[in-house]
Amino acid sequence: MNPLKTKSIILMANQLSSSSYTSMTNDVFLTFLGSDPSNGFIRNLYKALNEKGINTFIDDQEETKSSLRSLINVINHSRFAIIVFSENYADSSFCLEVLSYILDTFRRRYGHPFIIPVFYNIDPSHVRNQSGAYQIAFAKYEDKENKDKVLKWRNALSQVADFSDRWQFNHSKVQFQVAVSHWVSNTSGSL
């Protein structure tokens, strides 16, 4: 993990721990598409965060059959979000709606979004530019969805992919575990 990224996450966490955010229910809103893309990373991250006293809500759509309406209150009462992008993330219009809502809500609340994007087996440029698997998903949306909605999703993906605190992982569960341990160790005291 890049020490500068870790320091900026700690700075962000310190800002969020100010008294103006004491009404928040969750420290972290953790979201991803469907099943755990890394065969255990999401569950291990969730467990590690909670073991360190970082209250984390996991948006496990397969288990909870979540609707955006049911998640709005949770998102509104979360300090920041971790969004795990995988190759098939853009296949879900629901995930794109959640992403857009998080981005809009956090930007209104804080002046800028406190979002940590994690890229698992996907190059951030594919997310930013909606290329590769994302291009295929968006070709379907162009025919079926409202053009303004599709543009909003595209803009949200591009903006989040440009955040400086992005993490990219390729095929390595060990790399994930090291990053989780490092992140939890360096942020748990700040939240």
Side-chain angles (χ1 to χ4, degrees):
M1 174 64 59
N2 181 331
L4 291 175
K5 287 183 182 180
T6 302
K7 285 181 183 179
S8 76
I9 292 170
I10 292 169
L11 271 171
M12 178 180 70
N14 284 333
Q15 290 172 340
L16 292 173
S17 64
S18 71
S19 60
S20 62
Y21 302 109
T22 56
S23 67
M24 296 297 162
T25 305
N26 301 300
D27 295 313
V28 174
F29 178 82
L30 176 61
T31 186
F32 59 99
L33 172 63
S35 62
D36 194 336
S38 66
N39 299 319
F41 169 70
I42 301 293
R43 290 285 171 209
N44 289 331
L45 175 58
Y46 174 77
K47 181 180 175 188
L49 290 169
N50 282 299
E51 284 175 355
K52 294 292 185 175
I54 300 171
N55 188 26
T56 304
F57 178 88
I58 186 168
D59 175 20
D60 192 342
Q61 298 159 24
E62 287 191 344
E63 289 183 17
T64 62
K65 305 284 190 234
S66 300
S67 71
L68 183 57
R69 184 172 294 177
S70 68
L71 291 178
I72 285 174
N73 190 46
V74 176
I75 294 167
N76 288 340
H77 289 91
S78 296
R79 292 179 183 212
F80 66 100
I82 298 174
I83 302 171
V84 179
F85 293 97
S86 57
E87 186 172 338
N88 60 352
Y89 183 90
D91 290 342
S92 168
S93 60
F94 180 79
C95 284
L96 296 170
E97 280 294 316
V98 170
L99 170 66
S100 295
Y101 185 81
I102 290 170
L103 187 65
D104 290 345
T105 300
F106 282 33
R107 184 163 278 143
R108 274 192 316 272
R109 183 186 313 150
Y110 303 122
H112 68 288
F114 289 108
I115 299 172
I116 299 172
V118 176
F119 300 92
Y120 181 76
N121 287 338
I122 185 81
D123 188 302
S125 69
H126 291 290
V127 176
R128 180 183 309 105
N129 302 318
Q130 291 91 58
S131 58
Y134 283 57
Q135 181 178 12
I136 294 167
F138 272 90
K140 295 173 190 170
Y141 296 137
E142 297 291 345
D143 293 334
K144 293 193 283 187
E145 298 287 346
N146 173 298
K147 289 183 185 207
D148 291 336
K149 181 185 284 191
V150 172
L151 182 60
K152 184 176 182 175
W153 293 345
R154 285 184 179 280
N155 289 337
L157 287 168
S158 295
Q159 289 173 37
V160 172
D162 283 339
F163 292 165
S164 61
D165 292 318
R166 63 180 179 240
W167 298 355
Q168 183 177 357
F169 300 96
N170 293 309
H171 305 289
S172 175
K173 191 171 179 178
V174 173
Q175 187 182 22
F176 263 150
Q177 299 300 1
V178 169
V180 170
S181 297
H182 186 72
W183 188 82
V184 169
S185 297
N186 285 301
T187 59
S188 61
S190 301
L191 293 172

